[in-house]
Amino acid sequence: MDAILEICEMQDYDTDRKKRLESRSLSVAMWGNLFMAAAGLVAGLLANSSAILLDGLFSLIGFGSALLARRISRRIDAGPDNARPLGYAADEAIFVTFRAISLLGLLLFAVTNAIRNIYNYIGGMIPEPLNFAPMITYFTGIGLTCALLWSFHYFTWCKTEKSSAILRLEAKAALFDGLITVSAGAGLGAIYLFRDGPLAPIVPVGDSVIVLLLCLLAIGSYAREFRGGLGELAGVSASPAHLATARRALRSAIAEDGGRLQDMSITKLGRTILMMVYYDPGRPVSAAEIDSLNLRMIRDARTTLTNADVLLVISEHPRRWPDELSPY
């Protein structure tokens, strides 16, 4: 028991360290995105560029997301209480899901607006010309800022043993924002250089064409994030790799106890991996013995799966009742 308590203390220290790293990274994300949002909105209005305005709106969503993520991060590892009997792990999956929805909504709005501008141009309506003067300063500064944010989030995510879905999404968002900035800058630069040459027919709507292409490329990535978060909230089984790792981790404890593993289910919710172990000890056991075995399983599981939790169910049957006993 002393060994288990010592391990728990070490895990608490490690959890606190990870939370400090995550909070620091999210603070940097919050202020970095606020700077980029302000720069994007001002530069977009000065340059009359929808691509730059879209870039600024992405950063504005990033600021709000980082602010919300900091609040979630502070309590995400809190255990069950009266308000949340299953703990707060679901908050991370909720955050990832709804951030993906907000970004998808922005992308769809930008696509609709770009298509409308192109349609109006084909119909004979000439949009206001672009002002290229502020663009070089904007694209250089924002590109460097995105690169710094991505590297900071990515290396912090690695330091937290890649357990934070929030940091992973923030790193991906910073990388995508940087790709949008670089691509938009390259596209607008090409339009400026070849405005009297081969790109002359699309110069009036070149900005909208760039926005349309970038959004269509990005929709798939955020749709995957949305499906992943929604799957976690729905309780979809974790990957086969997680299942295989969990079985290997618990093999020693089950062999030493001498019982029989009837079934195992694994779900992932945010950074928490919940393992439901259906176990038949094959003999009368006391509550103290069950608690000791459960704690041993948690300890063994966390050696290979960070933030794993094990719920030990003593039963002769797997997760689904046999047809002759089923109450449904």
Side-chain angles (χ1 to χ4, degrees):
M1 186 62 71
D2 291 339
I4 293 176
L5 290 175
E6 184 178 348
I7 290 170
C8 289
E9 290 176 359
M10 289 295 295
Q11 288 172 342
D12 289 340
Y13 170 78
D14 192 49
T15 298
D16 290 341
R17 183 185 67 85
K18 290 178 182 178
K19 289 180 73 171
R20 287 195 300 270
L21 289 171
E22 186 177 60
S23 180
R24 184 182 66 181
S25 188
L26 291 172
S27 295
V28 172
M30 188 170 65
W31 297 114
N33 276 287
L34 185 60
F35 161 71
M36 292 193 297
L41 295 176
V42 171
L45 292 174
L46 291 175
N48 193 34
S49 169
S50 297
I52 294 178
L53 284 174
L54 176 65
D55 202 21
L57 289 174
F58 265 109
S59 299
L60 189 60
I61 290 178
F63 168 74
S65 297
L67 183 63
L68 179 60
R70 284 191 69 199
R71 296 185 61 184
I72 291 174
S73 176
R74 292 192 187 105
R75 66 179 188 179
I76 202 167
D77 294 312
D81 55 27
N82 291 334
R84 301 287 288 274
L86 297 178
Y88 293 83
D91 289 359
E92 186 170 20
I94 293 171
F95 169 81
V96 171
T97 303
F98 282 92
R99 182 167 188 203
I101 288 178
S102 65
L103 291 169
L104 284 171
L106 177 59
L107 288 175
L108 292 174
F109 169 77
V111 166
T112 303
N113 191 57
I115 291 174
R116 186 188 63 187
N117 290 340
I118 294 170
Y119 177 79
N120 290 338
Y121 173 65
I122 293 173
M125 184 182 298
I126 306 298
E128 294 183 17
L130 297 172
N131 177 17
F132 290 93
M135 291 186 182
I136 295 177
T137 301
Y138 171 80
F139 285 125
T140 302
I142 299 303
L144 289 173
T145 303
C146 288
L148 290 172
L149 284 176
W150 171 81
S151 60
F152 194 79
H153 293 326
Y154 180 79
F155 288 114
T156 303
W157 179 57
C158 291
K159 287 181 181 178
T160 60
E161 299 177 4
K162 300 183 178 180
S163 61
S164 172
I166 291 176
L167 285 181
R168 180 173 58 83
L169 186 60
E170 288 298 328
K172 182 179 287 188
L175 178 62
F176 177 67
D177 201 0
L179 290 175
I180 281 185
T181 300
V182 171
S183 300
L188 291 172
I191 288 173
Y192 176 76
L193 292 174
F194 300 105
R195 63 189 183 278
D196 296 323
L199 297 181
I202 66 166
V203 166
V205 289
D207 190 57
S208 295
V209 171
I210 291 170
V211 169
L212 183 61
L213 293 176
L214 291 175
C215 289
L216 291 177
L217 288 174
I219 282 177
S221 174
Y222 289 115
R224 286 191 296 273
E225 291 288 346
F226 171 70
R227 287 197 302 270
L230 196 62
E232 290 185 11
L233 293 174
V236 174
S237 294
S239 67
H242 280 122
L243 182 59
T245 301
R247 284 185 178 274
R248 287 194 299 269
L250 302 187
R251 190 176 295 158
S252 176
I254 293 171
E256 289 180 17
D257 189 72
R260 180 180 179 185
L261 178 65
Q262 301 288 10
D263 197 0
M264 180 188 295
S265 64
I266 300 182
T267 57
K268 181 177 179 298
L269 192 59
R271 67 194 65 181
T272 299
I273 297 175
L274 177 60
M275 302 161 57
M276 297 279 291
V277 178
Y278 300 82
Y279 180 70
D280 180 4
R283 67 187 191 283
V285 292
S286 66
E289 289 177 296
I290 296 301
D291 289 343
S292 179
L293 179 59
N294 201 161
L295 289 169
R296 165 74 187 278
M297 288 181 171
I298 293 173
R299 183 193 66 189
D300 290 352
R302 289 183 179 178
T303 59
T304 53
L305 294 171
T306 305
N307 297 317
D309 198 7
V310 180
L311 180 59
L312 182 60
V313 180
I314 303 302
S315 175
E316 295 179 337
H317 307 289
R319 75 189 77 177
R320 185 178 179 88
W321 291 106
D323 292 339
E324 62 273 13
L325 297 178
S326 177
Y328 306 110

